[in-house]
Amino acid sequence: VCNAFLILFIIAAIYAILGTNFFGEQSPEFFLNFKTSLFTMFQVLSGDGWSDLARSLFARDETDTSGISKTDSSVAFFFVSYMLINSIMLLNVVVAILLDEFVARVTREKEEEERERQEELDKQKLKGCLDPLTKELITFDDNDDLKMKIDTIYGKLDADGSGGLDFAEFQQGLAVNDICKQS
C-alpha cells in the first residue's frame, strides 16, 4: 500500500512540476510554485472543484473568425490524463491492494479459528487402547455386518473358545492381537 501511495505521490509531483511550468503565469493562484501546484493536483485528485479550475485554464485570449474564444486542448489533455492515471488507475490499485490484504487477513483468521477448533476437538477425544476396536465397529453397513464384526472381534479375544470372556482372558486377547499393550 505504501508503494502504491508513493507511486501516486510521484505522479502527482510530476504533474505539479508540469503544471507550474505550463500554467504558472496563467493561473498563479493554483500553479505559482511546486507546493501550490502539488496541493492543486491533490485537489484535482480528490475531485474538489477541479473542473472549475480546469475550465478557467481552457479559455484563451484568442478568438476564431466567428468570435468564439478558442479552447486550449493541451489543458484538457493535462487534466484528463492526470485523472485517468491517478484517479482511475492508481487509486484503484490502492483499493485492490487494500481489499486483497483484507481478504487474506480474514482467511488467515478463519484458518486459525478452524485450527484452534480442531485442536480443541482433538483434546476432547479420548484415546485409549480400545480405539482400534471401536473404530472397526463404527464402520458397519447394516445390523448383520455389525453382528459379524462383533463376532469376529469376540472370536479373536476368546482364546480358549469357551464362548465367554473373563477379565484375564480379555487382557490376554488384546495383547495377543496387538490391540493393547499389557502394562
Side-chain angles (χ1 to χ4, degrees):
V1 173
C2 290
N3 289 338
F5 276 123
L6 180 64
I7 292 170
L8 195 71
F9 175 76
I10 290 170
I11 298 296
I14 290 169
Y15 272 84
I17 292 168
L18 292 172
T20 302
N21 289 331
F22 293 151
F23 312 119
E25 292 176 11
Q26 189 178 354
S27 182
E29 65 274 10
F30 296 114
F31 294 102
L32 178 64
N33 55 28
F34 176 73
K35 290 178 186 177
T36 308
S37 295
L38 189 60
F39 182 77
T40 301
M41 298 320 294
F42 176 73
Q43 177 184 356
V44 170
L45 182 63
S46 69
D48 180 30
W50 75 273
S51 59
D52 294 334
L53 161 73
R55 288 189 190 277
S56 69
L57 293 171
F58 273 140
R60 287 187 178 173
D61 292 335
E62 306 169 9
T63 56
D64 62 9
T65 56
S66 63
I68 300 173
S69 64
K70 291 184 178 179
T71 305
D72 189 358
S73 59
S74 64
V75 173
F77 178 77
F78 178 81
F79 284 104
V80 169
S81 66
Y82 179 75
M83 291 299 287
L84 286 174
I85 292 171
N86 267 6
S87 293
I88 296 174
M89 290 176 18
L90 292 178
L91 281 180
N92 284 332
V93 167
V94 170
V95 170
I97 291 170
L98 288 173
L99 185 61
D100 183 51
E101 182 58 33
F102 174 75
V103 169
R105 182 161 187 108
V106 168
T107 303
R108 282 192 306 264
E109 287 178 5
K110 283 183 180 179
E111 288 171 354
E112 179 67 22
E113 287 174 5
E114 179 62 27
R115 188 187 58 76
E116 288 174 359
R117 189 182 67 77
Q118 190 61 42
E119 286 177 358
E120 188 63 33
L121 287 174
D122 289 344
K123 286 180 186 176
Q124 293 176 358
K125 290 181 182 177
L126 295 176
K127 294 184 178 160
C129 66
L130 296 178
D131 284 347
L133 286 177
T134 57
K135 189 174 185 180
E136 187 175 331
L137 288 176
I138 63 172
T139 58
F140 63 92
D141 296 328
D142 55 14
N143 285 338
D144 292 333
D145 187 40
L146 178 62
K147 186 176 181 334
M148 186 180 72
K149 287 183 179 196
I150 291 173
D151 289 343
T152 303
I153 292 172
Y154 191 81
K156 287 181 182 178
L157 296 176
D158 187 16
D160 62 4
S162 66
L165 285 176
D166 62 5
F167 186 69
E169 188 178 14
F170 180 71
Q171 277 186 320
Q172 181 185 3
L174 292 177
V176 167
N177 293 296
D178 285 330
I179 296 173
C180 285
K181 305 275 189 230
Q182 278 188 325
S183 39

